[in-house]
Amino acid sequence: MTSSTPQHGGKKPSSAPSKAPVNAPPAPSNFLRHVIENDLENGTYAQRQWGGSPGDAAHHKAGMHDPAKVRMRFPPEPNGYLHLGHAKSIWLNFELAKEYGGVCHLRFDDTNPEKEEQEYVDSIRDAVQWLGYETYLADRPSAPGTMQPHEYFASNYFDFMYRAAEYLIETGLAYVDEQTPEEMRANRGDFGKPGIDSPFRARTPAENIARFREMRDGKLDDGAAILRAKIDMASPNINMRDPALYRIRRATHHNTGDKWCIYPMYTFAHPIEDALEQITHSICTLEFEDQRPFYDWLLDRLAEGGLIASPHPRQYEFARLNVTHVVTSKRKLRELVEGGHVDGWDDPRMPTLAGLRRRGYTPDALKLFCERSGVTKSGGWIDYASLEAALRDTLDPIAPRAMAVLDPVKLVITNWDALMGEGFLDECSAPINPHDPEAGRRHFKLGRDVWIERNDYEEVQPKGFFRLFPGNKVRLKYGHVIECTGGTKDANGKLVEVQALLVPDTKSGTPGADAIKVKGNITWVAVADALQAEVRLYERLFAAEKPGSGELLDELNKESLVTCAAFVEPSLAGAALGGAGFQFERHGYFVKDRSKPQSLSVLVNRTATLKDLRAK
Ligand code: ATP
Ligand code: MG
């Protein structure tokens, strides 16, 4: 057993909410709200229109969204399962859209054919819906009342992206570069050194179009050429030194199959995706700040050509979420899955949304955590403890209670048969949730033999210990008072049984209950009606406080999973799998796992302990 050892029986479990209550006042305003409010006030996007000749933007124009609406997007690349960092982005985009009466698109940013898979698309859709964000909203001005699914795939815009590339070539703003990758790298320069123009930079538009079409038609080998924007090789911003727009890559795409052997680069594709969907505010993390000039450059050029509407979307950056003891990188998480270091993407220790869900995290807990973590322009690390605090604060008011004995030893009430009758089982009950009397009561039995926690007994009383030791009286919570008479150990000195005497007429809820004052109050389950359970005591997956910088496997917590053979209250039999789970009194929040082996009555995962045991 690790940190799960029960707290002193005499004390109430500390389920008191931490500082910020669930129904805290609305989150303080953040800089994004100011931007959005400003745009709404000025009608920035309500005046959106196409300039120049509309060209082939016509069909996108036909799908014109309501221009007065705030339109956000969450654009994951389907190359892994979503993690806690994504929850922040989902929460931010969908909540802001909702707050301002707008919509948020779920867009699969699937422009990289090699790493993307249908499994990931499905898992992402699942995670967004689980968080409670609806991507189906009534928002089709041409047919009021119809439901338009706001789910999009970047790969559906490949045709448009290709035409946008040709447009740039025709206007002298892009060229096919056939330097070797090494030459390109060397000629890009660095922070202190301007880049050098490629010898291919002076090609005419006609030459470039012909060569680009050869790229498209499979006449060139992978890596033999790229299409680059023609901007400024001496720009102090390296991202503006003729960034790559298209590369040759013979790979089967999950959506477009083998139709293409050239694929757009993320920096080229992403602004176009935003523009075609008429996104108003494109929110990303701070790493993309240096890309913003290219985002604007590209969309300004396409708007001038009438390919997209104007004003075009704008990019805004906020600090990514970093949580101590958590890795938020799909690539690193994939390493753990593929290396077999965890039991799949949804291992309850994984910081994926699928893992957090199996661990017992609820959408409300995650949203509260996102809200408390704030939206700022400067990064930092959020303590893992605040993730658990958000969980406790949301679960305490709603989680049904139950008793569980995680490290069981048998207690025999030696005068039970004489006082109560042989084989008699006394009916006891307890509130399902003390904060919610309407939830009713749960029922269980007390008999001669009960399971108690091994560490609730001591042969000799340690200082400050008020539970079982010879001569001491304690209450079996919700049951009777007993007086301990001793314990039996085996040849190895291991405790195998504890004995006690029932103190008559002391049952909870009866007039005699208060006749005897006891300092200890212990949890238990009767041998007669307990369910056998496997309990998984999960700990942090990473021992390192700020994992991700060193060797990933060395940063793992070797004791992130301890399993115990426990006994739990019979009410667990009917409990639903997953959901908000329940609170085992004295032990913490737990959830029933869906992957129950046949031989077991119950398999439960510990979501979190009752209080932060590390804070001490
Ligand atoms: P990863 O490195 O894990 O793949 P990513 O940013 O490359 O992360 P995407 O699928 O591109 O993954 O992310 C989709 C969205 O989620 C992006 O807008 C990205 O900015 C946002 N996002 C990813 N990680 C975080 C984080 N830790 N905090 C806030 N937002 C994040
Ligand atoms: Mg990415």
Side-chain angles (χ1 to χ4, degrees):
M1 301 262 301
T2 50
S3 56
S4 71
T5 41
Q7 308 307 298
H8 282 243
K11 281 193 200 145
K12 274 204 145 171
S14 158
S15 50
S18 60
K19 272 124 247 142
V22 180
N23 50 359
S29 204
N30 60 52
F31 69 98
L32 294 169
R33 288 203 178 93
H34 292 303
V35 169
I36 295 172
E37 281 165 19
N38 200 42
D39 281 334
L40 286 174
E41 219 168 284
N42 297 330
T44 309
Y45 290 96
Q47 301 146 22
R48 194 195 282 125
Q49 51 182 279
W50 274 262
S53 72
D56 47 17
H59 79 278
H60 291 291
K61 216 169 168 179
M64 180 72 180
H65 293 302
D66 178 352
K69 268 197 176 162
V70 166
R71 196 166 290 276
M72 326 279 290
R73 88 288 176 263
F74 169 65
E77 185 183 351
N79 61 350
Y81 279 57
L82 297 183
H83 52 60
L84 194 52
H86 294 117
K88 177 79 178 261
S89 180
I90 296 170
W91 168 82
L92 182 61
N93 283 292
F94 278 89
E95 290 292 334
L96 281 175
K98 193 158 76 186
E99 189 175 329
Y100 292 102
V103 294
C104 183
H105 296 188
L106 169 59
R107 180 202 308 145
F108 295 97
D109 207 334
D110 57 349
T111 53
N112 181 358
E114 284 137 322
K115 299 191 209 122
E116 293 157 4
E117 283 176 29
Q118 187 61 39
E119 179 196 350
Y120 299 142
V121 169
D122 295 340
S123 74
I124 289 170
R125 189 184 289 123
D126 252 24
V128 172
Q129 284 173 357
W130 174 67
L131 281 175
Y133 295 116
E134 191 51 83
T135 53
Y136 283 75
L137 292 172
D139 175 45
R140 186 177 276 166
S142 56
T146 56
M147 302 292 268
Q148 169 150 320
H150 289 300
E151 185 182 285
Y152 302 79
F153 287 85
S155 55
N156 287 341
Y157 313 139
F158 281 167
D159 287 328
F160 182 91
M161 289 173 189
Y162 179 82
R163 286 196 296 276
E166 286 210 347
Y167 167 78
L168 293 178
I169 296 172
E170 283 158 10
T171 46
L173 296 171
Y175 63 100
V176 173
D177 193 353
E178 294 176 55
Q179 296 181 95
T180 64
E182 296 72 41
E183 287 167 337
M184 275 184 223
R185 212 169 301 126
N187 291 340
R188 193 178 295 131
D190 55 33
F191 283 108
K193 197 171 90 190
I196 297 167
D197 284 3
S198 162
F200 298 93
R201 204 173 193 261
R203 281 176 153 169
T204 64
E207 270 178 281
N208 279 313
I209 285 281
R211 206 62 179 143
F212 186 48
R213 288 182 181 170
E214 283 170 13
M215 282 171 65
R216 177 197 61 189
D217 296 339
K219 306 251 163 65
L220 279 80
D221 289 340
D222 285 16
I226 59 168
L227 183 72
R228 296 177 79 172
K230 193 170 178 177
I231 309 179
D232 178 7
M233 287 305 290
S235 171
N237 181 344
I238 293 179
N239 296 291
M240 296 298 272
R241 294 183 188 170
D242 294 6
L245 308 180
Y246 261 95
R247 63 189 175 130
I248 308 171
R249 194 77 195 88
R250 286 172 177 78
T252 305
H253 187 280
H254 80 104
N255 182 21
T256 56
D258 293 318
K259 179 176 176 196
W260 297 92
C261 67
I262 56 170
Y263 288 95
M265 305 300 289
Y266 175 84
T267 43
F268 175 70
H270 197 84
I272 292 179
E273 295 157 24
D274 283 347
L276 291 183
E277 291 173 21
Q278 294 148 40
I279 298 304
T280 53
H281 303 84
S282 177
I283 301 176
C284 62
T285 42
L286 281 175
E287 312 89 87
F288 293 96
E289 198 168 7
D290 291 345
Q291 300 277 7
R292 182 162 18 102
F294 178 70
Y295 185 102
D296 288 334
W297 179 91
L298 176 64
L299 294 188
D300 285 343
R301 299 295 82 76
L302 297 182
E304 282 163 13
L307 276 83
I308 61 162
S310 194
H312 61 68
R314 296 278 163 187
Q315 174 181 307
Y316 302 91
E317 308 87 19
F318 76 107
R320 61 183 286 119
L321 175 71
N322 292 313
V323 183
T324 60
H325 303 285
V326 170
V327 158
T328 46
S329 152
K330 276 179 277 176
R331 187 178 56 76
K332 295 196 171 114
L333 296 175
R334 189 180 321 108
E335 222 177 292
L336 295 179
V337 173
E338 288 173 356
H341 306 290
V342 291
D343 187 17
W345 284 99
D346 68 345
D347 184 307
R349 290 166 295 180
M350 287 281 273
T352 52
L353 296 182
L356 287 161
R357 179 180 183 177
R358 255 184 92 187
R359 176 74 170 263
Y361 273 83
T362 59
D364 283 348
L366 293 177
K367 289 178 194 172
L368 179 63
F369 170 69
C370 290
E371 189 174 322
R372 287 178 180 171
S373 68
V375 179
T376 64
K377 276 292 227 181
S378 55
W381 287 77
I382 306 272
D383 199 305
Y384 187 86
S386 67
L387 178 63
E388 294 195 326
L391 179 93
R392 294 183 189 108
D393 292 350
T394 41
L395 288 192
D396 181 50
I398 58 168
R401 275 31 175 191
M403 289 197 285
V405 176
L406 302 188
D407 186 13
V409 69
K410 194 182 279 182
L411 168 85
V412 178
I413 305 173
T414 50
N415 61 349
W416 180 272
D417 288 353
L419 286 177
M420 309 295 281
E422 195 178 332
F424 180 74
L425 294 174
D426 200 12
E427 180 87 29
C428 300
S429 75
I432 288 177
N433 184 318
H435 302 305
D436 179 14
E438 310 238 302
R441 298 184 72 79
R442 52 193 223 264
H443 300 270
F444 40 87
K445 304 233 165 23
L446 175 58
R448 189 188 80 126
D449 299 338
V450 293
W451 297 112
I452 59 166
E453 294 291 347
R454 179 172 298 278
N455 68 357
D456 277 350
Y457 173 80
E458 293 285 351
E459 215 163 16
V460 180
Q461 181 192 15
K463 198 167 182 299
F465 180 88
F466 300 109
R467 289 170 280 157
L468 295 167
F469 55 88
N472 194 41
K473 293 192 182 75
V474 301
R475 175 173 298 284
L476 293 172
K477 199 171 181 188
Y478 311 118
H480 302 249
V481 172
I482 55 170
E483 178 177 346
C484 181
T485 52
T488 310
K489 290 182 168 173
D490 67 11
N492 300 319
K494 189 180 176 198
L495 182 70
V496 289
E497 190 188 280
V498 177
Q499 298 89 28
L501 293 168
L502 185 77
V503 181
D505 301 323
T506 54
K507 189 177 176 184
S508 286
T510 65
D514 294 329
I516 294 184
K517 289 272 174 263
V518 292
K519 282 189 171 171
N521 205 351
I522 66 170
T523 48
W524 55 277
V525 285
V527 170
D529 73 354
L531 300 176
Q532 211 178 343
E534 179 174 318
V535 175
R536 297 193 173 159
L537 302 176
Y538 290 107
E539 270 289 338
R540 298 163 183 193
L541 184 54
F542 288 92
E545 193 188 2
K546 295 177 179 175
S549 47
E551 188 56 51
L552 200 62
L553 298 184
D554 294 343
E555 297 175 327
L556 285 175
N557 172 10
K558 305 285 179 292
E559 279 149 29
S560 57
L561 170 57
V562 174
T563 296
C564 47
F567 289 104
V568 300
E569 205 180 284
S571 61
L572 263 286
L577 302 180
F582 32 83
Q583 187 198 95
F584 284 158
E585 303 192 26
R586 294 167 75 197
H587 290 300
Y589 294 96
F590 291 76
V591 69
K592 232 167 142 173
D593 195 90
R594 58 172 164 66
S595 71
K596 179 179 79 67
Q598 292 267 300
S599 56
L600 270 179
S601 324
V602 191
L603 173 67
V604 290
N605 300 328
R606 181 172 68 195
T607 317
T609 50
L610 275 185
K611 51 184 167 188
D612 187 3
L613 299 166
R614 281 158 206 279
K616 284 185 267 177

